Amino acid sequence: MPMFTFFTAPNTCSLAVHIALEEAGAPYEVSRVDTAANAQRTPAYLAINPKGRVPALVTPQGTLTETPALLAFVAQSFPGAGLAPLADPYAFARIQSFNSYLCSTVHVAHAHKHRGYRWVDAGDATALEAMRLKVPQTMAECFELIEREMFTGPWVMGDTYSIADPYLFTIANWLEGDGVDPARFPKVLGHRHRMLARPAVARAVAQAALK
């Protein structure tokens, strides 16, 4: 199968896709984007992903972006890995619903801490600080909903591991940095420990930590 090129950066949501690629046994090479040096805004990278963000996955058909889309692509491209219930439209939609919530709500709540300039004037220090101070509350509220209503266990959707699991794992790892004690969410914290015991997760985490 043709090689994919996976564009990623440390401490970003791209870790979820990295894990999925490892779980699927996909042929891919990693290209690291130095976001600390603002490499995501260079002409070279913008030619790959005009959004100036990671992740991006270059495939023989073209370049794909957005974590939920990439996770679904990996699951559909490697059905033998069993990363999604592809034959069950309802079950697959439930996974997509969960991943969409992580993308559109939880990740946005987290981004208010360091990237408030996306929503208010970058020179408005008062507004930026108000957004930053709100993050522990909004992230906790998001995970209270996940813990209470959305997490089935032992994996996100029940007994079967899926593409929802690496995405939850990735974003849940931001809790401490956002001022939220993960011990408040024993289901989610237990999920973190189960994820770390998976060889594919360990490989992806190790690769993501490389410079």
Side-chain angles (χ1 to χ4, degrees):
M1 187 171 181
M3 180 78 71
F4 301 135
T5 301
F6 176 56
F7 289 85
T8 182
N11 305 313
T12 66
C13 61
S14 56
L15 176 61
V17 179
H18 203 156
I19 292 171
L21 290 166
E22 281 292 322
E23 295 279 10
Y28 72 97
E29 60 183 7
V30 172
S31 182
R32 291 176 175 80
V33 180
D34 187 356
T35 53
N38 215 30
Q40 74 276 18
R41 305 304 306 175
T42 61
Y45 187 69
L46 290 174
I48 296 164
N49 181 5
K51 299 170 184 174
R53 299 184 187 180
V54 293
L57 188 70
V58 178
T59 79
Q61 293 83 17
T63 301
L64 295 170
T65 63
E66 304 299 335
T67 299
L70 294 185
L71 290 170
F73 174 78
V74 171
Q76 292 170 323
S77 298
F78 301 91
L83 296 177
L86 302 177
D88 185 336
Y90 178 78
F92 188 62
R94 287 186 64 232
I95 289 176
Q96 295 289 72
S97 176
F98 184 87
N99 285 351
S100 294
Y101 178 70
L102 294 180
C103 179
S104 66
T105 302
V106 188
H107 194 159
V108 171
H110 164 78
H112 284 181
K113 181 178 180 181
H114 296 297
R115 296 180 177 85
Y117 57 82
R118 292 178 180 170
W119 295 277
V120 300
D121 189 286
D124 190 340
T126 300
L128 291 171
E129 179 66 3
M131 295 177 75
R132 187 186 67 80
L133 292 174
K134 187 78 169 178
V135 168
Q137 177 187 335
T138 53
M139 285 293 285
E141 288 173 351
C142 288
F143 273 87
E144 284 168 2
L145 178 63
I146 291 170
E147 178 89 2
R148 184 180 69 248
E149 303 289 346
M150 302 175 73
F151 186 92
T152 303
W155 304 112
V156 171
M157 293 296 160
D159 292 332
T160 304
Y161 182 89
S162 75
I163 51 173
D165 292 294
Y167 205 2
L168 175 62
F169 169 77
T170 296
I171 291 187
N173 280 332
W174 299 343
L175 284 171
E176 289 94 330
D178 287 341
V180 182
D181 183 358
R184 294 173 57 181
F185 314 108
K187 293 180 183 177
V188 173
L189 188 57
H191 178 264
R192 177 189 292 184
H193 297 321
R194 285 188 290 277
M195 287 292 294
L196 288 170
R198 295 181 70 88
V201 176
R203 290 194 301 270
V205 169
Q207 289 182 51
L210 295 175
K211 298 292 186 182

